[in-house]
Amino acid sequence: MHVLLVEDDAVLSDGIARNLTNHGMVVDVVSNGRDADLALQRRDIAVVVLDIGLPGIDGFEVVRRLRARGSTTPVLLLTARDAVEDRVFGLELGADDYLAKPFATPELVARVRALLRRASPAQTSVQMGELTLDTAARRAMVRGRPIELSVREWGILEYLIRHSGRVVSKQQIIDAILPWGEELTLNAVEVYVSRIRIKLGDAGLALRTIRGFGYMLETER
Ligand code: CA
């Protein structure tokens, strides 16, 4: 679930990215309209948080091009306070929601989450074997007992469950859980997976290693 954050104010951008990441989202950050437009054409983005005033092409134009391509990717606009015309114009262009600066971070997180839910309304909870992942509350339970997962472990486990019964490569896992351009070594993935295995305990799941390639998660028989 990649969130694309488009904001040219570096301090604000860092703060927003950190908060969304702390809430388990994978955040890709760009600082101008052209990069945003390219990212939206090339990457799999679940939600866009989009500043209007940007160098080069502005946020309005980014939304206009996105909708002109037929994309329904949800967009949350960041607008200046009191700029009522901007909000109306943005919504008419096809933005889904807006937030006026300055805003409270919890409100931003809540709105992005709401857009994520709207984008994939079906699954707020995933069950496999004796494991339940409550993706809305970000809670994992084995046989009804909560287990603690780090942000990375959660990302990997959720990805494996969504692709259960299929072999996935370590690189696929990395691409799914990391922001664009960030690196994680294949060895680090192995470390996370071995921790996940221990935490799964008696969940009735087999997290198999496919030598030299990756992993497959399936129900134990
Ligand atoms: Ca700006």
Side-chain angles (χ1 to χ4, degrees):
M1 293 298 236
H2 283 233
V3 175
L4 180 66
L5 171 60
V6 191
E7 171 60 67
D8 59 321
D9 178 329
V11 175
L12 185 57
S13 178
D14 285 352
I16 295 173
R18 197 166 338 111
N19 271 287
L20 295 178
T21 303
N22 288 342
H23 286 83
M25 299 174 207
V26 182
V27 186
D28 294 358
V29 181
V30 295
S31 59
N32 65 70
R34 193 159 305 279
D35 287 348
D37 192 44
L38 286 176
L40 286 163
Q41 293 176 62
R42 294 177 184 171
R43 305 184 209 164
D44 191 11
I45 302 292
V47 169
V48 191
V49 178
L50 181 62
D51 185 30
I52 291 176
L54 293 168
I57 62 176
D58 67 10
F60 292 135
E61 179 62 14
V62 173
V63 179
R64 198 193 60 74
R65 292 186 188 185
L66 180 70
R67 296 297 180 242
R69 289 192 294 272
S71 167
T72 57
T73 306
V75 175
L76 171 65
L77 282 182
L78 302 180
T79 70
R81 200 208 321 234
D82 300 334
V84 178
E85 310 80 19
D86 280 3
R87 293 173 204 166
V88 173
F89 187 51
L91 294 172
E92 280 177 351
L93 280 175
D96 299 86
D97 196 5
Y98 64 83
L99 200 52
K101 295 177 181 178
F103 47 80
T105 308
E107 185 171 12
L108 174 81
V109 172
R111 287 182 186 231
V112 172
R113 276 195 171 156
L115 290 176
L116 281 169
R117 272 197 300 278
R118 219 187 294 167
S120 56
Q123 296 199 316
T124 54
S125 165
V126 190
Q127 172 90 40
M128 188 175 174
E130 297 294 331
L131 171 72
T132 306
L133 282 192
D134 181 342
T135 53
R138 287 188 55 74
R139 231 184 359 232
M141 296 201 290
V142 171
R143 295 181 187 274
R145 291 186 312 271
I147 58 170
E148 294 290 331
L149 296 168
S150 70
V151 169
R152 293 266 189 270
E153 289 164 2
W154 175 280
I156 293 174
L157 182 56
E158 190 182 18
Y159 185 80
L160 288 167
I161 288 180
R162 294 198 189 283
H163 298 81
S164 61
R166 278 175 276 170
V167 177
V168 295
S169 73
K170 291 174 195 170
Q171 191 59 49
Q172 282 174 315
I173 292 174
I174 291 172
D175 292 344
I177 69 162
L178 275 198
W180 181 263
E182 269 188 39
E183 306 279 342
L184 188 69
T185 64
L186 300 181
N187 285 343
V189 175
E190 288 171 19
V191 172
Y192 288 125
V193 166
S194 59
R195 287 188 198 152
I196 291 169
R197 255 195 207 108
I198 293 166
K199 291 179 181 183
L200 285 179
D202 57 351
L205 300 180
L207 208 178
R208 301 191 197 289
T209 299
I210 312 299
R211 254 182 124 55
F213 188 74
Y215 303 97
M216 181 166 77
L217 183 67
E218 53 186 2
T219 320
E220 266 173 2
R221 277 162 286 187

